[in-house]
């Protein structure tokens, strides 16, 4: 239908205005969609890029919007269907999807990794909430979602999302953005203390960090326990938040589970917005690998991508690292078969020798997640911070191994198994109503899978 083709851009803009979509939401989810055809009042819309997660997201969130907008524009009732493009269209590129604004030169020195933008972040069930929240923060920094605390395991995309926020803000405003790792912040504090003369060095440090609009601080866990650094960050944090400046923080753990975190900081983090990123599901891992493959001229076959996605589950970095190895040798040899790929990856993928989950691995995972000594979990201590990890250990031993109640009791030096049964039942019931507990247990399971 030629009229629909002619009106396509106007229809998308009407959706943006009618449903008050943010600039990011429009640019990422709506603007790239292409009119394909119309038959029997069913409009087919092409979702570019070959990303099934994008297809699912658009179906769930935008089907009704398009049906209403198209029906209104053509004064007739239409339904829509979304079709996934198998290969990336030559007509669509990142520059089309990203904002047309020039990069603010004043902010170009903010140490943001140029690779990390919202457009090349693969959205899946494991990170959809975090992605959505980060979009909102990028659109409206310093408002209701402040501070933003993103937590999750290594290599899952925390830094990518944080950096994407920074890029969007610098490209669409005059706000001053500063990205820093907690290790760099620690070193700056130490150096300022060492060189401090009449307070001038510390004054310069404070001026640097408090005269900005957006502070992005990565891996906050590395300053925990460093008294002077933590105190300096606390004061900087307060100054920025009181002046409605945006703070985004990443960590490997939820603030409740960072053992040596100053209680004042914990309270302030908990008063903000906290989101987590879990390890990607199979479909998301495939989408990540296909997206990553766009960076290379030599294409790895789908069966090899499937093999990598099936056997590397812990984080995105490992997925990309495996692909890079296969790509490098495939480019040298001129071809790459599944058998060759298996041989190349044999040191990191051993499907014939999967790790057997044992109580000792569970103990290691629980103690690592909660940052407590394994010996404390198996001891007779009854401290409040030990009780929950111990009960989770009991629960996971029953869920993930064949260990009997008596066997778990013996591991905990208990005379009978009634305590273990009580702990197991308590976690089994609470996990159905306590989202935070459920997320913690899933995170521990994912840690165990990496051993």
């Amino acid at each position: 239908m030629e009229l629909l083709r002619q009106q396509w851009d106007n229809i998308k803009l009407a959706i943006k205005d009618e449903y008050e979509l943010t600039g990011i939401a429009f640019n990422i989810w709506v603007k790239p969609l292409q009119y394909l055809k119309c038959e029997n009042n069913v409009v087919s819309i092409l979702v570019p890029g070959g990303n099934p997660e994008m297809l699912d997201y658009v179906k769930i969130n935008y089907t009704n919007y398009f049906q209403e907008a198209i029906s209104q524009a053509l004064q007739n009732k239409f339904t829509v269907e979304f079709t996934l493009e198998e290969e990336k269209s030559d007509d669509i590129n990142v520059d089309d999807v990203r904002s047309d604004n020039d990069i603010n030169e004043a902010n170009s020195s903010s140490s943001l990794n140029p690779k990390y933008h919202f457009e090349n972040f693969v959205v899946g069930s494991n990170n959809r909430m975090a992605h959505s929240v980060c979009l909102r923060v990028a659109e409206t920094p310093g408002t209701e979602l402040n501070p933003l605390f993103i937590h999750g395991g290594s290599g899952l995309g925390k830094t990518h999302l944080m950096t994407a926020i920074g890029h969007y803000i610098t490209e669409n405003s005059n706000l001053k953005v500063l990205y820093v790792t907690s290790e760099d912040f620690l070193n700056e504090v130490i150096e300022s203390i060492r060189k401090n003369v009449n307070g001038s060095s510390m004054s310069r440090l404070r001026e640097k960090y408090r005269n900005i609009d957006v502070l992005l601080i990565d891996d906050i866990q590395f300053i925990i326990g460093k008294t002077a650094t933590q105190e300096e960050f606390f004061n900087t944090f307060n100054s920025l938040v009181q002046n409605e400046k945006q703070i985004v923080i990443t960590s490997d753990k939820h603030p409740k589970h960072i053992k040596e975190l100053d209680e004042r900081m914990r309270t302030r983090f908990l008063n903000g917005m906290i989101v987590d990123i879990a390890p990607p599901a199979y479909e998301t891992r495939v989408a990540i690998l296909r997206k990553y493959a766009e960076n290379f001229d030599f294409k790895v076959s789908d069966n090899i991508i499937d093999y990598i996605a099936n056997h590397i589950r812990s984080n995105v970095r490992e997925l990309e690292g495996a692909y890079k190895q296969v790509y490098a040798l495939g480019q040298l040899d001129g071809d790459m078969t599944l058998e060759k790929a298996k041989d190349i990856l044999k040191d990191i993928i051993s499907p014939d020798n999967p790790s057997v989950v044992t109580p000792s691995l569970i103990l290691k995972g629980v103690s690592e997640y909660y940052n407590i000594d394994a010996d404390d979990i198996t001891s007779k201590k009854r401290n409040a911070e030990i009780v929950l990890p111990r009960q989770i250990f009991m629960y996971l031993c029953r869920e993930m191994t064949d260990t009997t109640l008596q066997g778990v009791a013996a591991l905990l030096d208990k005379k009978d198994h009634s305590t273990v049964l009580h702990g197991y039942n308590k976690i089994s019931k609470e996990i159905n109503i306590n989202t935070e507990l459920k997320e913690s247990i899933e995170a521990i399971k994912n840690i165990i899978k990496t051993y």
Side-chain angles (χ1 to χ4, degrees):
M1 183 181 291
E2 189 59 30
L3 179 59
L4 184 53
R5 189 181 302 278
Q6 292 171 358
Q7 291 293 317
W8 188 243
D9 287 342
N10 291 333
I11 287 169
K12 290 190 287 186
L13 289 173
I15 290 172
K16 181 179 186 294
D17 294 337
E18 176 69 21
Y19 299 100
E20 299 181 346
L21 302 183
T22 64
I24 287 184
F26 177 75
N27 286 336
I28 291 178
W29 302 113
V30 177
K31 187 177 180 181
L33 301 178
Q34 301 170 11
Y35 169 70
L36 191 60
K37 62 181 179 179
C38 180
E39 294 178 351
N40 301 319
N41 283 20
V42 178
V43 179
S44 296
I45 301 172
L46 188 67
V47 179
N51 183 347
E53 289 289 350
M54 182 176 179
L55 175 65
D56 291 342
Y57 188 88
V58 170
K59 279 183 179 178
I60 292 169
N61 293 281
Y62 293 103
T63 296
N64 290 336
Y65 291 2
F66 273 94
Q67 287 181 171
E68 290 292 330
I70 293 170
S71 298
Q72 185 171 346
L74 284 88
Q75 297 297 302
N76 200 351
K77 188 170 180 62
F78 289 85
T79 58
V80 302
E81 62 178 16
F82 294 96
T83 302
L84 188 65
E85 182 185 39
E86 292 301 323
E87 298 295 335
K88 186 176 180 181
S89 170
D90 292 336
D91 297 328
I92 299 295
N93 58 56
V94 172
D95 292 332
D96 292 331
V97 180
R98 287 174 56 185
S99 168
D100 293 331
N101 292 354
D102 292 331
I103 295 175
N104 185 319
E105 290 183 2
N107 294 326
S108 62
S109 61
S110 54
S111 302
L112 297 172
N113 190 317
K115 297 188 301 181
Y116 295 150
H117 292 267
F118 284 119
E119 292 80 13
N120 58 7
F121 184 84
V122 178
V123 180
S125 57
N126 63 307
N127 57 30
R128 183 170 283 111
M129 175 62 77
H131 177 261
S132 177
V133 168
C134 288
L135 290 179
R136 288 176 60 192
V137 168
E139 282 280 346
T140 56
T143 55
E144 75 274 15
L145 301 178
N146 193 28
L148 171 60
F149 192 102
I150 310 168
H151 69 96
S154 176
L156 295 179
K158 302 186 300 295
T159 299
H160 189 145
L161 279 178
M162 168 186 276
T163 305
I165 291 172
H167 277 304
Y168 185 86
I169 293 172
T170 58
E171 291 167 6
N172 291 276
S173 74
N174 291 319
L175 298 181
K176 293 172 64 177
V177 176
L178 178 62
Y179 167 87
V180 65
T181 66
S182 61
E183 186 177 6
D184 288 340
F185 184 78
L186 169 64
N187 291 334
E188 286 187 62
V189 172
I190 292 172
E191 192 66 11
S192 295
I193 293 172
R194 186 179 71 82
K195 291 182 175 179
N196 204 29
V197 178
N198 299 324
S200 60
S201 184
M202 289 303 296
S203 294
R204 285 194 298 272
L205 178 72
R206 287 163 187 159
E207 183 178 354
K208 172 184 175 180
Y209 281 95
R210 299 181 195 183
N211 290 328
I212 56 174
D213 300 297
V214 181
L215 175 61
L216 312 173
I217 184 159
D218 217 354
D219 291 323
I220 194 69
Q221 68 271 12
F222 290 120
I223 69 170
I224 305 307
K226 282 58 170 199
T227 305
T229 305
Q230 197 167 238
E231 184 66 25
E232 190 59 40
F233 178 72
F234 175 77
N235 293 329
T236 296
F237 179 98
N238 281 344
S239 174
L240 291 174
V241 171
Q242 287 169 8
N243 288 290
E244 297 184 341
K245 309 300 185 182
Q246 181 68 49
I247 298 178
V248 182
I249 299 159
T250 70
S251 174
D252 61 345
K253 294 183 179 69
H254 191 287
K256 280 189 176 181
H257 302 142
I258 303 177
K259 187 177 180 182
E260 297 180 12
L261 179 62
D262 185 297
E263 198 57 40
R264 299 172 301 169
M265 287 305 313
R266 195 190 318 275
T267 300
R268 281 157 177 77
F269 292 161
L270 293 173
N271 282 339
M273 182 68 188
I274 300 174
V275 292
D276 77 306
I277 302 179
Y282 167 77
E283 294 80 5
T284 309
R285 296 196 297 271
V286 171
I288 288 168
L289 287 168
R290 287 179 177 169
K291 186 72 176 177
Y292 189 61
E294 294 176 6
N295 299 312
F296 303 94
D297 50 7
F298 178 86
K299 300 304 178 185
V300 172
S301 63
D302 286 344
N303 62 343
I304 295 176
I305 286 178
D306 178 73
Y307 176 76
I308 295 172
N310 263 313
H311 293 96
I312 296 182
R313 305 176 182 179
S314 55
N315 67 56
V316 177
R317 287 197 198 108
E318 289 188 12
L319 284 171
E320 293 178 348
Y323 186 95
K324 193 179 293 183
Q325 287 190 49
V326 171
Y327 159 79
L329 289 178
Q331 189 183 44
L332 288 173
D333 291 349
D335 76 321
M336 177 57 60
T337 64
L338 179 58
E339 290 307 313
K340 285 183 181 178
K342 287 180 178 180
D343 186 59
I344 292 165
L345 300 174
K346 64 187 177 187
D347 291 333
I348 57 175
I349 295 177
S350 301
D352 296 329
N353 298 295
S355 297
V356 177
V357 177
T358 63
S360 61
L361 285 181
I362 294 172
L363 184 63
K364 182 180 177 182
V366 173
S367 63
E368 180 180 329
Y369 181 78
Y370 284 104
N371 196 25
I372 56 179
D373 291 334
D375 290 343
D376 287 340
I377 295 175
T378 58
S379 72
K380 296 184 181 296
K381 291 182 180 179
R382 295 186 178 181
N383 315 44
E385 65 270 20
I386 301 297
V387 172
L388 179 60
R390 183 180 291 143
Q391 290 176 337
I392 290 175
F393 169 70
M394 298 171 183
Y395 171 81
L396 290 177
C397 280
R398 294 292 294 141
E399 288 292 312
M400 301 181 74
T401 76
D402 295 328
T403 310
T404 62
L405 291 172
Q406 291 86 349
V408 178
L411 292 170
L412 296 170
D413 198 22
K414 304 288 185 184
K415 292 182 179 179
D416 62 65
H417 65 270
S418 59
T419 303
V420 176
L421 182 60
H422 170 75
Y424 174 78
N425 289 337
K426 184 175 186 300
I427 298 298
S428 296
K429 291 177 182 177
E430 193 169 345
I431 198 174
N432 294 317
I433 58 174
N434 187 329
T435 302
E436 185 181 320
L437 176 64
K438 184 176 181 180
E439 290 175 353
S440 294
I441 289 175
E442 288 303 313
I444 292 167
K445 287 180 177 179
N446 289 320
I447 290 172
I448 293 168
K449 289 176 184 177
T450 66
Y451 297 148

